[in-house]
Amino acid sequence: MTTSAHKVHANGVFPMRVASYNVHGFRGRDGRWNMERIAEVIRELDAHVVGLQEVVCKRDCPRTMQFGDPRSVLADLAGLTGHHAITGINMATGRSPCCNALLVKTLPRDVTALDISLHEREPREVVSAVLGTAANNVRVATVHVGLGFGERLGQIRHLVELVEQWGNERTVILGDFNEWNPLSRSAWRISRKLGAPPCGMTFPAHFPLLPLDRLGVTPDLRLWNAHAHRSRLAREASDHLPVVGDVMPAQEPGSDGAS
């Protein structure tokens, strides 16, 4: 059950609990494809918005499962978790197994899917949506950055540029950044430019050693209680642990700015 501390206000979007989860094509530590198991982990997170990476495509599904469009699998997941599903370019075209998606509790005002692929590398994208009212809104975006050093650096640079292009929009980034070196240029850009410091170790899920998954917010927002979700089921359902945290405006009207 959603607690009042995490319930979205009727007249806006805050306070808001957000999460990021690489679901590994719904294949768990035991090698079995199990959507219901992933859905149960998502329900444990109790998040208003969940950014998903490595959502299942046709080639990842069990051969016994027949469906015409990989988006139907995401729709089933949304039904199991009580969210609305937002798909991206890769899922719509089936061109890559690295499909991103958003699960949101309320219908968005605007949806975009932007290609950040680099030449001769696997297709990558940013899927984003604007939630809330015209007067009180926030953009949420999910991303899955590539494995190669140059690929990561280029895609993170592109993501920073996108956030800058969105201008004055309050923005939350949910992603698997595939960055394990805290001293790299990529890590610096993720932490400083995207407001996404490590949330804890998330990979591999059964014995996490690397902080690959992160949450980020623009300076006009405040992220607190960000952490890796380490339930028994989360350690079995995917090769990544999800990360979850709470978001509020950096200073709400009438507040004194105290945290």
Side-chain angles (χ1 to χ4, degrees):
M1 178 179 295
T2 302
T3 64
S4 59
H6 306 137
K7 191 175 294 182
V8 176
H9 292 159
N11 62 347
V13 292
F14 300 107
M16 181 172 67
R17 171 160 283 190
V18 300
S20 183
Y21 194 12
N22 183 323
V23 299
H24 192 50
F26 299 106
R27 291 193 182 275
R29 185 181 176 193
D30 56 8
R32 292 189 299 112
W33 191 95
N34 191 324
M35 182 197 299
E36 289 77 11
R37 185 166 51 184
I38 290 290
E40 178 59 30
V41 174
I42 292 173
R43 289 194 294 267
E44 289 178 353
L45 299 175
D46 190 22
H48 184 75
V49 179
V50 184
L52 302 176
Q53 303 86 39
E54 290 191 30
V55 179
V56 65
C57 283
K58 290 181 180 179
R59 78 182 196 189
D60 296 310
C61 273
R63 293 182 181 179
T64 56
M65 175 171 283
Q66 300 296 322
F67 61 95
D69 188 331
R71 287 173 290 187
S72 65
V73 175
L74 182 62
D76 290 343
L77 178 66
L80 289 170
T81 63
H83 290 81
H84 302 283
I86 300 172
T87 62
I89 303 166
N90 292 339
M91 186 170 290
T93 62
R95 66 177 185 161
S96 169
C98 286
C99 298
N100 298 341
L102 286 167
L103 296 178
V104 296
K105 287 284 189 181
T106 56
L107 289 172
R109 297 181 55 245
D110 179 53
V111 173
T112 59
L114 301 168
D115 196 329
I116 59 168
S117 307
L118 297 184
H119 182 60
E120 297 183 348
R121 292 286 187 171
E122 189 169 33
R124 302 281 173 161
E125 63 186 339
V126 177
V127 181
S128 76
V130 177
L131 306 177
T133 65
N136 186 20
N137 58 58
V138 63
R139 181 180 291 274
V140 293
T142 187
V143 66
H144 186 188
V145 176
L147 287 168
F149 171 75
E151 183 182 16
R152 284 199 306 279
L153 192 60
Q155 290 168 354
I156 291 166
R157 183 183 299 116
H158 196 161
L159 181 58
V160 170
E161 291 170 355
L162 280 176
V163 173
E164 292 172 347
Q165 288 172 21
W166 289 329
N168 294 326
E169 288 185 313
R170 297 179 293 196
T171 302
V172 179
I173 302 295
L174 316 164
D176 173 0
F177 289 96
N178 269 321
E179 181 55 70
W180 51 85
N181 180 0
L183 302 179
S184 71
R185 283 183 290 169
S186 296
W188 183 86
R189 285 180 177 270
I190 294 166
S191 294
R192 299 297 180 89
K193 297 291 186 178
L194 296 175
C199 298
M201 304 304 175
T202 61
F203 183 87
H206 67 282
F207 190 73
L209 297 171
L210 302 173
L212 302 188
D213 306 88
R214 304 191 189 198
L215 309 172
V217 297
T218 46
D220 42 15
L221 294 173
R222 181 167 61 93
L223 174 68
W224 85 98
N225 193 31
H227 62 278
H229 179 73
R230 303 186 66 169
S231 71
R232 180 196 60 78
L233 191 60
R235 292 193 296 269
E236 298 293 332
S238 173
D239 62 344
H240 286 242
L241 293 175
V243 289
V244 62
D246 299 301
V247 176
M248 285 285 287
Q251 185 170 353
E252 290 191 282
S255 75
D256 60 4
S259 58

